[in-house]
Amino acid sequence: INLESVLNVLEDTGVISSHNKKKHQAWRSLKIDMLASLTSPRSTADQLHCYILWMALVYTIDDIRDRFIIDDENSISNHALVQRYVEIVRDTNDDILALVDSEAEELPPLKHFKPNHGVVRLARYLREKSLACLCRRAYNEFVEHLDDHLRKGATLCTPHIFAMKAGKPFPLSIEDFEELRRKDSAAGMCVHMAGTVAYNTSGEVEILKRCLDQVTLHAALLNDIFSYEKQIYREKDRFNYVCAVEELRHLSFDQAAHLTVERANECLAEHDRLSALVDPDDADAQHILDTHRRWFSGHVAWVKECGRYSSKTSPFVFLRTVKSTMDNPLSPED
């Protein structure tokens, strides 16, 4: 897939400006085209195009959300606007831009924040393009995971993030934190788009969903390992699995990182165990499981190459040589 065609859509919808070379370089360094290709090799060109743009949309909304997790009042405004972005994915209302503006006026004021029309246009573009290359059932399942990540996960996480930024102890048990990270992980959404097949068409749907739980937790754990320096030292955000293990079990970083890697490996082993229970003649189920396996390996390979997690002072040697995107925020034009 040609990443430049994706950047052209981001320009055309107004998510980024053609004049902002730094933003363009940040998107190129992220290499989401590589992640899509590694995790969804059976997709058509149109499906890959949508898959990459959905990831771009989620990264953009996540960065908007993260920039304004400041206090409870801003959280209310921010959450309401994120909710509207999710609803746009379900709606083709031609007056949606006006709706976003009018609703924003009724919300508590936000400094330096306004509804981003580029995000609105991109969401509408993606809804139309995705429905043209996915069956309705697969698209609906995908949207539910998008909703879980952007809305439900954010709603549950935000109060804890506030508390921890205020210096309070880690507020959850390890088990509760794992469940919350599953909801907040974007992997479920990505895997649904990568697989292109609806889970509910298979007679093995319950086992497949349990398998997907292992994929989403594995992705969240990897993210928390590799983004540790970015979160803890740069963003002062302790809402991280490694940090949770450090604080709750009174361990060093090396010990906590080791246990986090072991937990990620347990996810792989549990996925293998559950996969063996699935009917080998169920073509849809086997396609979904293959997508899961490709996500496990492809996600790891991508992390080593993209610039999102890299830093010259990273505790992980292989992340010290990759060009960083940390200083080039991916959020849309103000």
Side-chain angles (χ1 to χ4, degrees):
I1 190 77
N2 184 355
L3 182 60
E4 296 306 311
S5 67
V6 171
L7 293 176
N8 288 340
V9 173
L10 296 179
E11 276 188 29
D12 292 344
T13 54
V15 174
I16 58 175
S17 166
S18 59
H19 304 296
N20 195 328
K21 303 304 180 185
K22 185 176 284 190
K23 290 276 180 70
H24 278 254
Q25 184 54 44
W27 282 108
R28 290 188 180 94
S29 297
L30 188 58
K31 297 185 179 179
I32 50 177
D33 54 327
M34 174 188 176
L35 179 60
S37 298
L38 288 171
T39 56
S40 187
R42 297 184 185 180
S43 295
T44 66
D46 285 344
Q47 288 168 344
L48 275 176
H49 176 78
C50 289
Y51 180 17
I52 294 169
L53 281 168
W54 277 117
M55 286 193 284
L57 179 72
V58 169
Y59 273 120
T60 298
I61 296 177
D62 272 352
D63 282 352
I64 290 173
R65 191 180 69 188
D66 290 347
R67 285 162 66 193
F68 297 99
I69 295 182
I70 301 168
D71 53 42
D72 287 308
E73 183 178 277
N74 277 9
S75 175
I76 293 168
S77 299
N78 196 2
H79 174 63
L81 287 166
V82 169
Q83 178 174 323
R84 173 53 75 188
Y85 289 151
V86 172
E87 290 172 357
I88 292 162
V89 178
R90 306 176 189 270
D91 193 358
T92 55
N93 189 333
D94 289 336
D95 296 326
I96 203 75
L97 295 177
L99 280 172
V100 172
D101 279 338
S102 64
E103 289 191 0
E105 291 173 2
E106 298 171 7
L107 297 170
L110 278 171
K111 291 183 178 179
H112 314 301
F113 187 84
K114 59 186 178 183
N116 186 273
H117 287 188
V119 174
V120 174
R121 294 188 193 98
L122 179 59
R124 291 178 63 201
Y125 170 89
L126 275 170
R127 182 183 190 279
E128 180 181 338
K129 293 288 287 187
S130 298
L131 284 171
C133 62
L134 288 175
C135 72
R136 167 67 71 167
R137 185 176 292 179
Y139 179 79
N140 288 343
E141 285 185 6
F142 161 73
V143 170
E144 290 308 314
H145 277 274
L146 178 73
D147 194 324
D148 279 346
H149 171 63
L150 290 177
R151 190 147 55 106
K152 297 175 185 175
T155 302
L156 294 170
C157 290
T158 300
H160 300 306
I161 294 172
F162 288 146
M164 295 178 69
K165 284 192 173 184
K168 294 182 180 178
F170 206 90
L172 299 166
S173 68
I174 292 293
E175 293 73 23
D176 288 343
F177 187 61
E178 284 187 6
E179 185 58 31
L180 188 54
R181 289 297 283 121
R182 279 194 181 97
K183 286 183 169 62
D184 191 45
S185 171
M189 178 211 76
C190 291
V191 171
H192 263 82
M193 179 54 71
T196 70
V197 174
Y199 282 54
N200 287 332
T201 60
S202 169
E204 307 280 5
V205 60
E206 292 306 318
I207 294 179
L208 292 174
K209 287 180 177 178
R210 290 166 62 193
C211 286
L212 182 60
D213 282 344
Q214 303 308 313
V215 180
T216 54
L217 180 56
H218 183 271
L221 294 173
L222 278 188
N223 176 83
D224 287 3
I225 292 169
F226 296 129
S227 68
Y228 181 90
E229 184 196 42
K230 171 175 168 286
Q231 278 188 258
I232 307 304
Y233 297 121
R234 293 175 182 248
E235 299 172 358
K236 310 301 181 186
D237 176 8
R238 291 159 44 230
F239 201 69
N240 176 290
Y241 191 89
V242 181
C243 186
V245 175
E246 282 182 292
E247 293 192 22
L248 295 174
R249 298 186 179 171
H250 309 290
L251 300 175
S252 68
F253 166 77
D254 287 345
Q255 292 170 321
H258 179 74
L259 286 179
T260 305
V261 171
E262 284 190 343
R263 184 69 185 95
N265 287 335
E266 288 174 6
C267 293
L268 287 168
E270 179 63 7
H271 188 278
D272 287 345
R273 186 189 72 80
L274 291 169
S275 298
L277 304 176
V278 175
D279 182 356
D281 295 324
D282 186 328
D284 282 350
Q286 293 302 324
H287 175 80
I288 288 168
L289 291 174
D290 182 58
T291 301
H292 291 178
R293 296 183 189 105
R294 292 180 186 277
W295 179 267
F296 281 130
S297 59
H299 187 214
V300 175
W302 169 73
V303 163
K304 293 180 178 180
E305 296 291 332
C306 79
R308 189 166 180 85
Y309 304 103
S310 64
S311 165
K312 291 180 180 179
T313 56
S314 172
F316 304 99
V317 175
F318 64 84
L319 292 179
R320 296 176 192 168
T321 57
V322 182
K323 184 175 176 60
S324 175
T325 62
M326 282 186 182
D327 298 324
N328 300 332
L330 299 179
S331 48
E333 308 299 326
D334 295 324

